[in-house]
Amino acid sequence: IMNGFEIETRKKLQNISPDISIQAPHDTSLESLPLQNYLLTHYKSYISEIYDYGTHHILLQTQNDNSEKTVIALLKTINPEKESKSSLLQEKVGDTALTQLLTSNQIIIGKEIAKELNLTIGDKLTMFYNQTPELRIDDSDLAQTTVLISGYIDTGISDYDTTLVLASHEYIHTLLNKPYINQIGIKLKAFLSEKEQLSFISALHQLPDVKITTWNEQYPAIISALKLEKYAMFFLLGLI
């Protein structure tokens, strides 16, 4: 039972996170295309899919004059077509294609954000965003725009469902008047052995001026809790 629970929890986390994330330091913009080309040239045998995304902290505010509500959220900008092939985000937003949900000023919000703000699909929100994403949201002037809710994302993970907002690269780059990508995600080929994976990760750590993170390093508390729970179960069974 415990093995099944651990496997399903790990699978849920992996489904929405890349196997490996390459991040620019201090939220600076990443030279994504040259880096992707380099990785595919030298490490193609390890890589199943590669895609880029940007993360920004934003404020979302309802447009109800009677009771304005505001929440802080994490905006993740994606290429909808590539993301649908590289992760299971498509499964988490329902049957409508990401490419249809993320056009123009449309966004997808975490289901818990929708509950907190009492929002439905088709509602409009005011989005406050940092025109200089490299700076903290409280260290610069905020611009604002109106966005339209096109869907919900339901990952089953509270940290995502209470904070995550998805938008397209194209829309956010238009707002910023420049591309802003600070992370690259890598999906590993399924047949790789643990030794091959570790060898690839070790090679990535040699890349200059980037931070390398594996999916399980993004959730240390959850992974540790799963291990502790398994050990506790073994201990209790030993007492029977």
Side-chain angles (χ1 to χ4, degrees):
I1 293 173
M2 284 305 302
N3 275 340
F5 175 73
E6 182 177 1
I7 289 170
E8 286 304 311
T9 302
R10 287 175 178 269
K11 188 184 298 183
K12 184 180 289 187
L13 294 174
Q14 281 183 286
N15 284 345
I16 56 175
S17 302
D19 293 323
I20 300 171
S21 177
I22 301 175
Q23 185 173 357
H26 311 298
D27 289 326
T28 54
S29 188
L30 196 64
E31 292 293 333
S32 173
L33 192 56
L35 182 52
Q36 289 188 57
N37 289 336
Y38 173 83
L39 293 171
L40 290 173
T41 298
H42 293 83
Y43 302 106
K44 190 174 182 180
S45 60
Y46 297 94
I47 298 171
S48 172
E49 297 283 348
I50 188 167
Y51 54 103
D52 51 27
Y53 50 98
T55 55
H56 318 240
H57 282 98
I58 59 170
L59 299 175
L60 292 177
Q61 187 177 78
T62 59
Q63 295 187 349
N64 186 334
D65 294 333
N66 296 324
S67 58
E68 285 185 349
K69 296 180 180 179
T70 305
V71 296
I72 299 175
L74 179 66
L75 176 67
K76 181 176 181 179
T77 69
I78 63 172
N79 178 322
E81 185 176 357
K82 291 196 73 172
E83 188 77 30
S84 63
K85 298 176 183 176
S86 305
S87 73
L88 290 187
L89 275 180
Q90 178 63 68
E91 181 182 300
K92 306 301 180 183
V93 301
D95 296 330
T96 307
L98 283 169
T99 50
Q100 292 180 259
L101 292 172
L102 296 178
T103 61
S104 186
N105 68 332
Q106 295 181 163
I107 62 170
I108 299 170
I109 65 173
K111 69 167 187 175
E112 296 302 327
I113 299 177
K115 285 184 180 179
E116 182 178 349
L117 299 182
N118 194 27
L119 299 168
T120 60
I121 291 174
D123 283 349
K124 293 180 179 180
L125 291 167
T126 300
M127 181 177 79
F128 296 89
Y129 63 94
N130 196 335
Q131 290 183 298
T132 309
E134 294 87 350
L135 300 178
R136 287 166 49 93
I137 196 169
D138 54 354
D139 287 339
S140 67
D141 294 329
L142 297 181
Q144 68 182 76
T145 189
T146 296
V147 291
L148 179 70
I149 299 172
S150 61
Y152 308 128
I153 181 166
D154 181 4
T155 66
I157 300 173
S158 176
D159 285 352
Y160 281 94
D161 295 338
T162 57
T163 61
L164 186 61
V165 175
L166 301 176
S168 71
H169 281 329
E170 183 178 2
Y171 175 56
I172 300 302
H173 294 174
T174 300
L175 292 180
L176 298 176
N177 293 315
K178 64 178 182 179
Y180 176 73
I181 291 168
N182 62 350
Q183 296 189 51
I184 290 176
I186 296 174
K187 183 178 180 180
L188 297 173
K189 289 188 174 178
F191 60 78
L192 293 179
S193 67
E194 184 176 355
K195 183 178 180 181
E196 289 172 320
Q197 292 182 33
L198 291 175
S199 175
F200 178 44
I201 292 168
S202 177
L204 292 178
H205 277 291
Q206 305 307 311
L207 295 172
D209 302 323
V210 292
K211 178 182 178 182
I212 309 299
T213 310
T214 59
W215 74 267
N216 54 318
E217 289 173 333
Q218 298 179 47
Y219 308 98
I222 296 177
I223 300 301
S224 296
L226 288 173
K227 289 180 179 179
L228 183 61
E229 199 165 6
K230 179 186 275 188
Y231 294 150
M233 180 62 71
F234 287 152
F235 177 74
L236 290 174
L237 288 174
L239 295 177
I240 297 175

